[in-house]
Structure formats: structure tokens, C-alpha cells
Amino acid sequence: MLRQSYQVRPFIIAVIVSLVSLMLSSCMKSSPEPFVTPQEERALIRFVASEYSTETKPLLEKLVKEFGRRNPLIDVELQVANWDILDGIYTTMISKNQPPDLLNTNVYAHFAQDGLLNNLGEIISPELASKLNPNLVEMDQMDGVQYAIPYVATMRNLYYNKDMFQKAGITSPPNTWSELEETARKIKALGVSEVFGVDLTDNETQASLSYVFFGSGGSWIKDGEWTINSPANIEGLTFLKELFDEGLTDPEPTVTTRDEKQRILGEGQLAMMISGNYFTSVVPREFPELQWGKGPIPVKDGLPPMTFGVHDVLVSFKTDHTNREALSKFLDFLYDDQAYEEMIRREGFLPITTTVGMTLSEQDEVMRGDLEALSKAKFYPVQEPSWQAVLDYTRKMGDAVLYEGITPQSALDQLQHFAETKSRQQELPRATKKRR
């Protein structure tokens, strides 16, 4: 018996060793692979913003810094540029195939036609989309595609120096062209050389033309056709030139900018000018002693009052690093009610979000009136792809009309011809693409 047990023991031991080996092997195979932390992807947003005032850069720098603190994986490279050099900056970036991911500008249609822009309708969050001004949103679409979204808006009005008006015996601002001329003559009789401020410098010639185009019952474009040299527009520009020829404007319409004219008015040397509603924030802050008033843009006698609005937009260029989720987050942050309201208050703009618009309208009757007028205002033809080229051409018109002896008829005929030619040139590639 003892001898038999000794013979079985080695076999049992061998079996046990085999089972243990199998169990260990099985355990080893079922153990998870070593955990490797995935590399977190960073996003880049190059944001080129226009400088509206001395408040713009610090406001945006503060906002970008706070956004970066909350979103450490999204880098926002901010560049704030004056309007005088803004076009050159983003044009250079585009030529180097490094366009901005986000651009604050006043044009977009030519970029859209060239296929350079993202569809922001596919980027912005439903929450942001729901609170943008619907009229302006529609204006920033082409063929149903949201190539731009509104950023800020202004209403243009006549602003005047109350003290100067009182000295001239004028009790109310002019509503019509004849009243404007009469007011200007009375103020000039006081020995004032800076009477009605007219801005025909590079950045505002199109605005001054719009005042007299729309004020005469004319337009830039109608039913898809340019109407620049219409009889109404020619009459409007003729009236403006006559005011200058008779010394009823400021002496240098093509030299001093709108911002410079606002300071001249604040210093008590300019009687009146047309500007945006930011006048009410910027000028009183710099000239707290100024007694100023506000009136409508004067129109041709017999025509109904006219309201004119301007709005700037944000566009997003297609890049080799476009990150739609990051852009959506940043846009939500940019339009966040608290941050956006602070910007609107500091810069003096009209809000384009219904939430901030409602809040400010409840606090300010003037704001409420301006926002109501915005819904009925006339605007630049920003949906026309050749508008940027036409706008650039108008920059040359101030000196030509005022100093070079070109008649308003001839000047507007030339601009009309340019606009029609440019539109045809831009339609050809578009028609070719459709045929393909």
C-alpha cells in the first residue's frame, strides 16, 4: 500500500502544477493593458477685430483672457486693428493662406462668393442663434447660407451743439434740406467756419453718399440692379456739393474723419454732423461740459423721414485648423449677455441680441426708440458680392467731386459703370460653376 501511494504522488503534483500554470497564464492574459493618457488636442482661433474706440482692445483682451482661463485647450490669438489698416491686415493674411478664423468686419459677400467662408449656421449654438436679431441675420445670408452673423449695429442721426444753435436763434434741429441750409447760414453768420460736418474720407464716403441718396428718395441698388446714377441720387449729391461750395460744411470734408469731427464738435467749434448713436457715449465722456442735441437725418423737402442703419458682422474663414466646436464655444462666450452688454454700454452701440436689447430697452427710452427704428432702417447692399469693390471705388469720389471739377452726374455715371462692370465680372465665374 505504501509503495502504491508513492507512485501516484508525482502524477498528482504534475497535474496541480499544470493547473496553477494555466490559471496564472489566464490571469495574465485577462489583465488590462497599461493605461496610456490620450494626448489632448488643442484648438487655435485667430481673431481679428476692428477697433471702434480706446475701449475696444482692453475689453476684448479681458474677454479673451477669461475665456482662456475657462477653456485651457483653446488658444485665441487676438489682433485688434484700426479700421484704416484692417483691410490690409486680413487681406495679407488671406494672401498667405493664413486667413483669420474669425474676422469682425463690415463686408462678407465677396468672400462668400469666392468660397472662403464657413457656414456659421452650422457652427453657432442653437442658444446663440435664437437670440440674434432676425432681420440682420437674414441680411447676412446668401442663398440661404449664413455666411456672417451680426455683431453690433448703429443708427445714424444728426447731432448738434445746443449752445451754438441757441446763439443763432435756432430752437430745433433741421428736418429737411431747406431747413438744414437755413440753419447752416444762420450759424455761419456768427462767424463760425465749421458748420455742417461732412465726412468724405476713406472710411465714411459711402455713408455720406447714403445720407443724400436715401434722403432724396434714391438708393444704391433696386431689384438686383445698381441705381447709383439715378436722378434722385444725382440731386442728392448736387445738394451736398452746393453746401460745400457755399461754405456751409466744414472746410475739409476729405481730410478730417468722423471721429475727429466729433472732437471738434465737442470742443465747441463744429455746429452739427451726422454720426452713429455711439456719439452719445463717446463724446460726452470726453467732453462732459458739452450741451448737445439729437435730430433726424435731414431729407429732401416733401419726403417722409428716413432712417439709416449700419451693422458690422463676424465671419469665419475656412482654415487648415478650423475647429467648429471651439469656434462655437468662443462665440457663445463673446455674445454672453453679461459680457456683451458691457461691450455695448462702453462702446455705445445698439445690441443685436434680443436678450440684451430687451434689458437695455427697459432701462433707456432712447435705446428702445433706436432699436425700433433699426427694424425699419435702410442699409448698405451688403449681400451684393461687388459691394466691397464699389465701396473701395467711392473712396476716390470726395476729392474728385469737391475739388477736381467733376460734376455729380459724371461722378455717379462713372461709379455706376464700375459697379455694373464689376457685377458682370463676378457673375461669370459663378455661372460657370453652376453649369459644371
Side-chain angles (χ1 to χ4, degrees):
M1 294 286 295
L2 291 172
R3 190 181 294 175
Q4 189 178 19
S5 65
Y6 285 135
Q7 291 175 347
V8 174
R9 187 178 298 166
F11 173 75
I12 295 173
I13 293 171
V15 171
I16 292 171
V17 170
S18 297
L19 289 172
V20 171
S21 298
L22 286 171
M23 291 173 63
L24 288 172
S25 175
S26 175
C27 288
M28 288 176 66
K29 287 181 181 178
S30 63
S31 297
E33 295 292 328
F35 181 76
V36 179
T37 304
Q39 188 175 2
E40 295 176 303
E41 183 180 351
R42 302 192 68 83
L44 171 64
I45 298 175
R46 292 192 178 101
F47 180 23
V48 176
S50 54
E51 184 179 51
Y52 293 103
S53 74
T54 55
E55 301 279 344
T56 308
K57 189 174 182 180
L59 275 171
L60 288 177
E61 286 177 338
K62 173 186 173 185
L63 183 140
V64 166
K65 184 177 181 180
E66 178 61 21
F67 178 78
R69 189 183 68 80
R70 300 187 190 186
N71 300 272
L73 292 180
I74 303 176
D75 297 319
V76 180
E77 292 182 359
L78 172 67
Q79 185 173 5
V80 180
N82 186 278
W83 283 98
D84 293 335
I85 61 173
L86 181 68
D87 288 1
I89 287 175
Y90 68 69
T91 300
T92 299
M93 294 175 71
I94 294 170
S95 68
K96 293 181 178 180
N97 201 28
Q98 294 180 336
D101 299 278
L102 204 60
L103 172 66
N104 167 207
T105 182
N106 57 358
V107 289
Y108 75 90
H110 62 303
F111 295 136
Q113 189 177 60
D114 291 341
L116 300 178
L117 300 180
N118 288 313
N119 178 359
L120 282 170
E122 298 176 348
I123 293 177
I124 62 174
S125 67
E127 292 76 19
L128 176 55
S130 69
K131 64 182 183 181
L132 294 176
N133 182 302
N135 294 332
L136 298 182
V137 164
E138 184 177 354
M139 201 179 302
D140 296 337
Q141 296 176 357
M142 288 175 59
D143 300 325
V145 179
Q146 198 72 52
Y147 288 114
I149 56 174
Y151 181 50
V152 294
T154 64
M155 287 298 300
R156 301 297 172 93
N157 290 283
L158 183 79
Y159 294 90
Y160 62 95
N161 184 314
K162 279 188 173 182
D163 291 336
M164 203 174 286
F165 268 48
Q166 289 174 358
K167 289 178 182 177
I170 304 166
T171 57
S172 60
N175 294 311
T176 64
W177 286 356
S178 61
E179 291 176 359
L180 174 62
E181 184 176 356
E182 182 183 0
T183 298
R185 291 189 185 284
K186 288 182 178 180
I187 292 173
K188 185 181 180 182
L190 298 175
V192 176
S193 60
E194 305 265 359
V195 188
F196 175 47
V198 174
D199 190 348
L200 293 175
T201 61
D202 282 0
N203 289 328
E204 281 289 295
T205 298
Q206 74 279 2
S208 293
L209 289 177
S210 296
Y211 305 150
V212 293
F213 283 5
F214 294 128
S216 63
S219 61
W220 284 95
I221 199 167
K222 186 176 181 181
D223 299 328
E225 301 292 332
W226 291 104
T227 56
I228 295 170
N229 63 345
S230 68
N233 288 356
I234 293 169
E235 183 180 9
L237 184 55
T238 299
F239 169 71
L240 191 63
K241 179 170 170 53
E242 288 173 351
L243 288 179
F244 173 76
D245 289 341
E246 295 178 26
L248 301 178
T249 65
D250 62 294
E252 298 180 319
T254 64
V255 177
T256 53
T257 66
R258 180 193 62 207
D259 291 346
E260 290 169 333
K261 293 182 201 298
Q262 288 184 161
R263 294 188 185 95
I264 296 171
L265 192 152
E267 292 167 349
Q269 300 173 30
L270 177 65
M272 53 184 166
M273 66 179 290
I274 297 172
S275 188
N277 48 276
Y278 38 77
F279 180 102
T280 64
S281 296
V282 176
V283 177
R285 188 165 58 227
E286 190 172 348
F287 302 96
E289 302 300 319
L290 175 68
Q291 297 296 311
W292 58 274
K294 172 184 171 184
I297 298 175
V299 299
K300 179 183 174 182
D301 295 60
L303 291 184
M306 178 268 294
T307 55
F308 178 65
V310 176
H311 87 296
D312 293 337
V313 300
L314 294 177
V315 297
S316 173
F317 286 87
K318 296 175 182 177
T319 69
D320 57 6
H321 59 269
T322 297
N323 187 310
R324 294 175 175 238
E325 183 180 352
L327 281 168
S328 182
K329 283 184 178 180
F330 182 66
L331 288 170
D332 278 343
F333 196 77
L334 191 64
Y335 287 90
D336 173 75
D337 286 353
Q338 184 176 350
Y340 188 68
E341 181 178 334
E342 180 184 7
M343 186 271 290
I344 290 297
R345 287 183 181 277
R346 299 273 289 273
E347 297 280 22
F349 290 124
L350 297 180
I352 55 75
T353 64
T354 54
T355 47
V356 173
M358 187 178 301
T359 297
L360 296 182
S361 292
E362 292 173 352
Q363 303 168 5
D364 186 344
E365 186 177 341
V366 174
M367 174 69 75
R368 182 164 62 252
D370 280 341
L371 286 174
E372 289 174 358
L374 189 69
S375 64
K376 306 169 187 175
K378 298 180 182 296
F379 290 86
Y380 298 127
V382 294
Q383 290 171 307
E384 171 55 49
S386 54
W387 171 240
Q388 171 70 76
V390 172
L391 190 157
D392 289 339
Y393 193 98
T394 64
R395 302 181 199 275
K396 310 171 185 176
M397 291 187 58
D399 284 322
V401 171
L402 298 186
Y403 304 111
E404 297 173 12
I406 297 178
T407 65
Q409 170 86 60
S410 177
L412 295 184
D413 283 345
Q414 291 177 31
L415 184 56
Q416 174 78 16
H417 175 72
F418 176 83
E420 291 175 343
T421 302
K422 196 67 179 178
S423 291
R424 285 195 298 270
Q425 290 173 346
Q426 292 191 320
E427 275 297 320
L428 285 175
R430 191 175 183 183
T432 303
K433 288 179 181 178
K434 286 183 178 180
R435 286 198 296 271
R436 289 176 182 172

